[in-house]
Amino acid sequence: MRAFDELRKLEMFFKEETRRGCSIIDLYELVQHAGNILPRLYLLCTVGSVYIKSKEAPAKDVLKDLVEMCRGIQNPVRGLFLRSYLAQVSRDKLPDIGSEYEGDADTVVDAVEFVLQNFTEMNKLWVRMQQQGPAREKEKREKERSELRDLVGKNLHVLSQIEGVDLDMYKDTVLPRILEQVVNCKDELAQYYLMDCIIQVFPDEYHLQTLDVLLGAFPQLQPTVDIKTVLSRLMERLSNYAASSADVLPEFLQVEAFLKLNNAIGKVIEAQPDMPILGVITLYSSLLTFTLHVHPDRLDYADQVLGACVRKLSGKGKLEDNKATKQIVALLSAPLEKYNDIVTALKLSNYPRVMEYLDSETNKVMATVIIQSIMKNKTHISTADRVEALFELIKGLIKDLDGTLDDEVDEDDFKEEQNSVSRLIQMLYNDDPEEMFKIICTVRKHILAGGPKRLSFTVPPLVFSSLKLVRQLQGREENPFGEEESTTPKKIFQLLNQTVETLSNVPAPELALQLYLQCAEAANDCDLEPVAYEFFTQAYILYEEEISDSRAQVTAIHLIIGTLQRMHVFGVENRDTLTHKATGYSAKLLKKPDQCRAVYACSHLFWVDDQDNVKDGERYVEVLLCLKRALRIANAAQQMSNAARGSTGSVTLFVEILNKGTPRSLLLQSRACLN
């Protein structure tokens, strides 16, 4: 670069000499008598630049002479720098359209011919570097060649800047000549770099109109050339071109760009049977992105790309290559990002078939991406068929796939995955009760197949979705054509009973008890006394047989009491049975203070404001007896505290009982205890 700077000063000197009367023609002949050929040719190029500016000879003649004379240097490195200097000094002197050097004898064809000839000779020199020197220095030569590649590519950049190179000239002359040189050089580095240069420097509309010619060169390249990257960049440029304006989309349809790219990829893969699976997936991923940008309405094109990918993956089994699996995730994520709607992706029949080739971990990643897309876009999935298809896609999160061991799963990751599935279940909704019931049955089928470990996460949202449907049906008349064909609260409660019962396999008795109580409350709102009583019975059985921890028992009994307090559907007999049972459980708690609080909480169960038939003298006595029982337990707790610690202990329990019950006799007893 420093030498070129000095030569520019020399060029200015020659220009001054011509102004002083020195003939430029004489100078041009004089420098050709220099003793050494390399300085001679640098001088010739420098004087030739001044010669063209003087316009004493046609520019095309001087340029042709210079490019021919430079053949005298066959040393690759020296020849490359010499021709690079020639390209530099002649760049602004080409006979282009609108240029001062354009004339009757000088046309843009001459400019193109000069640049192409210089490019061809430079490429030959560049390729020849690889064959010179000992084999042990091959890596060093490759590094040097990589550093010098811009010297060759500069010619293509000059070509792209020539105003006179229109589409017809590019299609008929420029591109065929360049591709001929690229294919014939049979050099991996040169072919990769030059194909990439073509894609980067020439306009997008030129690529679109010459797809046949450009794509036809790819199968002829060396098998070791990284074609996937070059083709991917081509499709990326065309995708961006399509996205830049809707006005250009008819051009893509006119030239059938998708079909040509699809066929070209097939030929490239066929011509390179040893292409890694990563390369195949990358090509189809780029093609799918192109398709979604250019033909967003043609789902059949997108499905066709996925189908071609499936055919290439067939027989490969689960992919182990981490980069390949990431590329498949990118492939499958493209439709989600484009349409922002999983429902559209579900219409692609080959979408789930591609997911089958993902390993267990990557399958989970893709399933998470799908759920996140649904959450982000608030996608409405409203039919059982779509739910079925969706749960097939995310089965990696719903059940253990082959080869997955429990000890391999991080607990925090597992919880996060199952929580995302739970949120998804809450997103499934349809206003039609029949269809919503089908959705619930579909979800239930999938989550019950996921094993006991997941049930504590997935059963609750399913139960609450079902209860939401129950409340939607509340007050509706039954189907007059027969209950079997209609979705009724009774049918849903039967399903809920069976669903909550599965939690016994986890085991999760506290969660199951809470869900039974929720179902009982919903049955209460529907005035279904037998159903509500059955749910309470199941809750009591769980309390007796499964819940043994003292703290869990305290929490459970207060849940039972609170729920029973809100029940209005029970008759006197059923209510008495459940109330006395709850009172009995309360009196059997481990700690006296817990017993006392649970027992006095039960006192309100004997006094129901909205049922006049329960407000009688006998019920008043029951309330009083319950509060007195709590008082005795509080006395016993105080005596135990006195015996164990030597103090009377806290009077908190007596205050709580006083706040709970207001009968005069009880008030007098509480005051006596406080005294």
Side-chain angles (χ1 to χ4, degrees), residues 179-190:
L179 290 179
E180 179 185 7
Q181 181 60 34
V182 172
V183 172
N184 290 339
C185 74
K186 299 187 183 303
D187 179 78
E188 175 188 350
L189 179 60

Side-chain angles (χ1 to χ4, degrees), residues 81-101:
F81 278 106
L82 173 63
R83 288 187 175 275
S84 175
Y85 177 66
L86 173 60
Q88 180 177 312
V89 297
S90 63
R91 184 171 184 172
D92 58 345
K93 303 173 184 66
L94 298 175
D96 191 9
I97 292 178
S99 168
E100 60 179 300
Y101 304 105

Side-chain angles (χ1 to χ4, degrees), residues 221-344:
L221 302 181
Q222 296 297 104
T224 52
V225 175
D226 185 13
I227 295 179
K228 74 174 188 303
T229 303
V230 182
L231 255 178
S232 297
R233 287 174 181 169
L234 172 62
M235 288 185 278
E236 181 181 354
R237 280 207 63 171
L238 292 176
S239 298
N240 294 335
Y241 179 52
S244 64
S245 172
D247 298 335
V248 302
L249 292 179
E251 298 179 27
F252 285 86
L253 299 175
Q254 183 181 1
V255 301
E256 297 181 331
F258 169 77
L259 296 177
K260 291 177 180 178
L261 287 168
N262 193 21
N263 292 335
I265 289 174
K267 290 179 180 178
V268 166
I269 295 173
E270 185 178 344
Q272 297 190 3
D274 296 330
M275 179 183 288
I277 195 65
L278 172 62
V280 175
I281 299 170
T282 302
L283 286 174
Y284 282 118
S285 181
S286 300
L287 180 59
L288 181 60
T289 303
F290 168 83
T291 306
L292 295 174
H293 277 90
V294 179
H295 307 287
D297 55 330
R298 294 296 301 268
L299 289 180
D300 56 325
Y301 281 178
D303 203 35
Q304 188 176 336
V305 175
L306 294 173
C309 191
V310 169
R311 287 192 292 274
K312 296 302 177 183
L313 290 171
S314 61
K316 304 288 185 182
K318 301 289 184 183
L319 294 178
E320 301 294 337
D321 184 1
N322 190 38
K323 292 183 178 179
T325 54
K326 286 183 178 179
Q327 197 62 50
I328 286 190
V329 170
L331 173 78
L332 294 172
S333 300
L336 300 179
E337 295 170 358
K338 176 62 180 177
Y339 297 116
N340 293 325
D341 183 10
I342 185 62
V343 175
T344 305

Side-chain angles (χ1 to χ4, degrees), residues 22-74:
C22 182
S23 170
I24 186 61
I25 298 176
D26 293 340
L27 271 176
Y28 190 70
E29 292 180 358
L30 180 63
V31 295
Q32 296 184 42
H33 295 287
N36 296 321
I37 187 169
L38 188 61
R40 182 197 312 162
L41 291 176
Y42 272 106
L43 287 170
L44 190 64
C45 291
T46 306
V47 176
S49 174
V50 180
Y51 195 6
I52 295 174
K53 281 186 178 180
S54 71
K55 299 182 182 178
E56 294 185 23
K60 69 171 185 178
D61 293 340
V62 179
L63 291 173
K64 184 177 181 180
D65 188 42
L66 291 175
V67 78
E68 292 289 343
M69 293 291 286
C70 285
R71 289 186 177 180
I73 301 297
Q74 291 300 309

Side-chain angles (χ1 to χ4, degrees), residues 432-471:
D432 178 27
E434 293 290 338
E435 190 63 33
M436 186 60 199
F437 185 69
K438 291 180 182 177
I439 291 175
I440 290 171
C441 292
T442 302
V443 174
R444 180 178 181 274
K445 177 186 71 174
H446 282 279
I447 66 173
L448 293 186
K453 189 176 180 181
R454 293 178 172 83
L455 292 179
S456 58
F457 295 94
T458 53
V459 166
L462 178 62
V463 169
F464 283 103
S465 292
S466 304
L467 294 179
K468 186 177 180 181
L469 177 58
V470 168
R471 289 184 168 85

